[in-house]
Amino acid sequence: MCGIVGYTGKRQAYPVVLKGLKRLEYRGYDSAGVALRNDKGLHIYKKKGRVAEMEEDIVGKDVSATIGIGHTRWATHGEPNDVNAHPHKSNNGKLAMIHNGIIENYAPLKQDLINKGYTFSSDTDTEVLLNFIEDIQKNNHCGLEEALRIALKRIVGAYCILIISEDDPDTIIAARKGSPLVIGIGKGEHFLASDASPIIEYTKEVVYVNDYEVAIVKPDELILKNLGNEKQTPFVTKLDMDLAAIEKGGYEHFMLKEIHEQSDTIFDCLRGRLLPESGQIMMSGIEDNIDMLKNANRIVMVACGTSWHAGLIAEYMIEDLCRIPVEVEYASEFRYRNPIINKGDVIVAISQSGETADTIVALEKAKEQGAFIFGVVNVVGSSIARISHAGAYTHAGPEIGVASTKAFTGQLAVLAMMALKIAKAKGTIADDRYIQLMKDLYNIPDKVKEILADTSNIKKIAEKYKDASDFLFLGRGYNFPVALEGALKLKEISYIHAEGYPAAEMKHGPIALVDETLPVVFVATKDSYYEKIVSNVQEIKARKGQVIAVATQGDTVIPSMSKDVMFVPDTDEVIAPLLSVIPLQLISYYVGVAKGYDVDKPRNLAKSVTVE
Ligand code: G6P
């Protein structure tokens, strides 16, 4: 949520910062702005709307500078407009700051500053923090770095901030707590950003800044300190990512590219881990902790959004195969509701970004109470990956479209391997079923490819129903969470109201909504619930609902009862969601496009929700 970029070195900073902001726009797109410093002083340019609108506005202005910071905003405090856009300037005009996060105790600080004569042009908590720093500098007669450290000890909340000063020609001061910050190390230059995507084309050497660290960044020097002013050793890691992964590669949208990448990304996730020939699953995070996992009293899945849906499917997988009780929690509820955590509980954190604020705090809380944390995370080196005791990456590569697609199927692939591995160690799965499921999982990438080979039918269906005002998504068993995910995708991308429900439960309410105008999407693949869902389809048909089905290739019964059908290849029901979700991703995509919406950046959403 909010993207930040900074540069100090020999190059022109503005093009580097601008390109970086375009890469980070998925994190928020309410407004954009840059601050540049040259011999003439600090220059701040900012504008409501997308980065491109800011860029247009800047044409012809003075942008020559070798140090600069930039911000793309997802509004928290103050509506999206030019004034609330970052960067903000301090009252004395000497400091410019950008911020990702929320300062919770900004109100009393603001009142104090107003009493002292400070004025504020925006409604943001950021401007309060900046003037608070200026005030400390003035009162304590100290430098910016020290004033920042004092300020950070007195604020409550989350932040990643970058500050430049008129008095310093080449230093960016940065700090983080709760919101991510990566620093790229070049030759005589440094790059700062919320994630590695703005950095990757310049250098692969990066440092992930930790919570409560302050970074003093000059072209030739990077100093990290804790809030107690003690130097910390920067831990340099090498990025395992290439530029092509963060570009559209000929697709009209990132979302479409990411949907189409899924046969490769699932393959990458399974590669080297799932070995059906030898009956082995190689996952060191599980192997090293197998006793803890197989003897867990219960497993609690903690996640948000689409990742939460992956947790629901994992609940079915693990209870079914491993016979371990599983609970699935919204991180935002779990963190506040005084949950019972006992010794022997395992928390599985599922997150694409690894930076979701609610999930991070929920984990920290569970960790404090002695739980073992296993992370299923996509972004390498992210906060959740680092908080976890052990884990497995999903290896889906950078996901840029705000609505999650390939990260979700990556999560399912990891969770399926995890369930299989624990079941095998625990002896709760028969050998032949274990081997068969491994083979079925191994064949999933090819089956995904088959679905994606021709999507014209799905596009036609999307165009046919694009003007509906509501949709119902129904499924049973493993396909029930898929129905939830289908409804979420449609809401996110096409702004059509949609509900997901267990197909049988719809008789207890949603059936009242059914008439000849309501499209009802059934996720009705051939599984152990098949006969039951056939009856549910009849119930909807009897009330004249427009039945659209996701059905198994070769099935004739469900198609004969449906107005429109999207076929998927057959597979074991445990891993069927890896296939049945794909037509639902595509239908949302095509409805969104048909309605003329920006599917990669849907209104009000952000990819990485770093505020609670
Ligand atoms: C946001 C994104 C969703 C994502 C959710 C959880 O709402 O728009 O696509 O599923 O956050 O994010 P995480 O990175 O923790 O999986």
Side-chain angles (χ1 to χ4, degrees):
M1 211 144 248
C2 297
I4 60 169
V5 191
Y7 175 79
T8 178
K10 292 186 271 306
R11 298 173 205 247
Q12 282 298 302
Y14 177 60
V16 176
V17 170
L18 183 67
K19 203 169 193 186
L21 288 181
K22 288 182 179 166
R23 294 243 161 90
L24 289 181
E25 217 176 359
Y26 72 86
R27 300 177 67 88
Y29 28 85
D30 289 331
S31 62
V34 296
L36 303 159
R37 186 210 173 275
N38 60 19
D39 296 346
K40 294 183 211 104
L42 279 179
H43 305 274
I44 294 186
Y45 308 113
K46 51 188 192 173
K47 184 100 191 119
K48 178 182 177 207
R50 304 284 164 98
V51 175
E53 289 166 60
M54 176 202 76
E55 185 182 7
E56 239 170 68
D57 213 47
I58 291 180
V59 173
K61 305 212 167 120
D62 181 4
V63 291
S64 67
T66 53
I67 179 168
I69 56 178
H71 187 268
T72 173
R73 178 171 187 241
W74 188 88
T76 57
H77 289 60
E79 62 171 285
N81 59 26
D82 292 356
V83 175
N84 288 331
H86 299 211
H88 293 280
K89 217 178 205 183
S90 63
N91 268 208
N92 67 8
K94 284 186 178 290
L95 305 176
M97 176 164 117
I98 53 176
H99 169 214
N100 167 23
I102 291 184
I103 307 303
E104 289 170 20
N105 59 338
Y106 82 102
L109 292 176
K110 185 169 184 174
Q111 196 48 57
D112 266 10
L113 291 165
I114 289 172
N115 295 345
K116 288 179 176 174
Y118 280 84
T119 55
F120 293 90
S121 50
S122 77
D123 306 316
T124 64
D125 50 345
T126 307
E127 200 186 4
V128 175
L129 174 56
L130 181 60
N131 283 307
F132 183 46
I133 295 167
E134 182 196 298
D135 194 48
I136 295 173
Q137 242 186 315
K138 202 155 58 184
N139 296 335
N140 293 28
H141 307 289
C142 61
L144 174 59
E145 186 197 321
E146 192 180 335
L148 173 66
R149 270 198 310 273
I150 297 170
L152 295 182
K153 284 188 208 154
R154 293 197 29 209
I155 58 165
V156 180
Y159 53 81
C160 171
I161 52 176
L162 304 191
I163 310 178
I164 56 172
S165 163
E166 196 171 87
D167 293 338
D168 193 325
D170 61 5
T171 310
I172 300 176
I173 304 221
R176 82 156 258 184
K177 187 213 149 198
S179 303
L181 175 61
V182 191
I183 301 181
I185 302 169
K187 286 199 177 79
E189 57 185 354
H190 283 105
F191 306 83
L192 300 90
S194 300
D195 74 25
S197 59
I199 297 175
I200 185 74
E201 70 183 275
Y202 308 105
T203 175
K204 292 210 162 186
E205 312 261 285
V206 296
V207 171
Y208 292 96
V209 177
N210 292 310
D211 277 351
Y212 302 108
E213 281 180 350
V214 171
I216 300 105
V217 191
K218 296 171 184 286
D220 290 307
E221 195 179 23
L222 165 64
I223 300 171
L224 283 185
K225 290 182 178 177
N226 62 16
L227 294 186
N229 199 23
E230 292 159 335
K231 279 200 179 175
Q232 309 292 300
T233 313
F235 181 68
V236 181
T237 45
K238 222 172 173 66
L239 285 175
D240 179 20
M241 188 200 276
D242 60 28
L243 200 54
I246 54 170
E247 292 184 335
K248 279 192 203 148
Y251 285 92
E252 204 182 329
H253 295 101
F254 281 111
M255 184 178 177
L256 188 62
K257 175 187 173 223
E258 287 158 5
I259 291 172
H260 277 270
E261 275 174 350
Q262 288 177 106
S263 59
D264 291 338
T265 52
I266 299 169
F267 181 75
D268 286 344
C269 177
L270 303 176
R271 191 176 44 193
R273 290 168 160 173
L274 184 81
L275 309 170
E277 301 280 285
S278 62
Q280 280 175 296
I281 296 174
M282 313 288 283
M283 295 171 89
S284 60
I286 297 179
E287 251 140 55
D288 296 349
N289 299 287
I290 194 67
D291 288 338
M292 164 97 64
L293 291 165
K294 76 175 194 205
N295 297 319
N297 292 330
R298 62 170 187 157
I299 295 180
V300 185
M301 306 277 161
V302 178
C304 301
T306 289
S307 300
W308 186 81
H309 293 154
L312 279 183
I313 295 170
E315 177 183 24
Y316 282 73
M317 290 172 171
I318 292 175
E319 292 204 343
D320 193 0
L321 302 178
C322 313
R323 311 305 298 149
I324 299 172
V326 178
E327 282 165 39
V328 189
E329 295 269 1
Y330 287 113
S332 54
E333 289 297 315
F334 185 78
R335 63 180 283 194
Y336 284 117
R337 69 165 183 78
N338 198 14
I340 299 168
I341 295 165
N342 293 314
K343 209 166 171 285
D345 285 349
V346 170
I347 306 284
V348 176
I350 310 172
S351 176
Q352 186 287 126
S353 61
E355 300 294 349
T356 302
D358 282 323
T359 311
I360 292 176
V361 179
L363 297 186
E364 281 168 345
K365 196 163 171 182
K367 205 171 172 184
E368 269 165 32
Q369 293 181 46
F372 178 77
I373 316 286
F374 189 91
V376 177
V377 174
N378 193 38
V379 177
V380 176
S382 57
S383 299
I384 295 176
R386 288 184 291 155
I387 291 168
S388 302
H389 292 110
Y393 283 117
T394 43
H395 294 310
E399 191 180 65
I400 314 251
V402 165
S404 187
T405 53
K406 63 175 181 171
F408 178 69
T409 46
Q411 289 164 347
L412 295 183
V414 164
L415 292 162
M417 287 190 284
M418 181 172 180
L420 280 169
K421 198 162 168 63
I422 297 173
K424 177 81 174 136
K426 205 169 176 220
T428 48
I429 189 168
D431 283 348
D432 50 351
R433 175 133 170 78
Y434 172 74
I435 294 291
Q436 190 53 50
L437 259 169
M438 285 181 83
K439 286 186 181 153
D440 289 340
L441 186 54
Y442 194 80
N443 290 330
I444 287 286
D446 282 342
K447 293 184 178 179
V448 169
K449 206 176 267 170
E450 227 179 286
I451 302 172
L452 292 169
D454 182 6
T455 60
S456 54
N457 170 46
I458 302 176
K459 189 170 178 212
K460 258 191 231 138
I461 297 172
E463 281 159 5
K464 179 167 163 192
Y465 294 97
K466 75 175 178 22
D467 295 320
S469 55
D470 304 272
F471 265 73
L472 196 54
F473 286 77
L474 301 174
R476 299 183 77 126
Y478 284 94
N479 277 328
F480 153 54
V482 176
L484 295 184
E485 176 60 8
L488 177 63
K489 283 283 91 76
L490 193 72
K491 276 182 279 208
E492 286 178 306
I493 300 305
S494 70
Y495 317 149
I496 294 176
H497 168 250
E499 278 196 54
Y501 243 77
E505 183 64 20
M506 60 92 183
K507 289 202 277 293
H508 303 283
I511 198 163
L513 302 172
V514 179
D515 62 16
E516 65 285 354
T517 66
L518 185 75
V520 182
V521 180
F522 274 93
V523 192
T525 52
K526 282 251 178 173
D527 56 19
S528 52
Y529 305 80
Y530 179 73
E531 305 301 336
K532 301 281 171 207
I533 206 159
V534 167
S535 310
N536 299 136
V537 176
Q538 294 290 15
E539 288 154 6
I540 295 290
K541 250 179 81 92
R543 286 155 186 88
K544 301 198 166 43
Q546 309 285 309
V547 174
I548 306 165
V550 176
T552 303
Q553 276 164 12
D555 182 12
T556 52
V557 178
I558 290 281
S560 72
M561 296 158 61
S562 311
K563 279 244 153 72
D564 293 283
V565 190
M566 299 172 281
F567 285 105
V568 293
D570 194 17
T571 190
D572 192 290
E573 67 180 15
V574 172
I575 50 175
L578 281 143
L579 302 180
S580 54
V581 75
I582 288 171
L584 304 188
Q585 297 170 342
L586 281 164
I587 210 161
S588 302
Y589 171 79
Y590 285 125
V591 171
V593 170
K595 291 178 87 96
Y597 297 142
D598 183 348
V599 293
D600 280 339
K601 301 187 192 78
R603 71 180 177 210
N604 301 339
L605 299 178
K607 179 127 197 91
S608 183
V609 181
T610 53
V611 294
E612 68 172 274

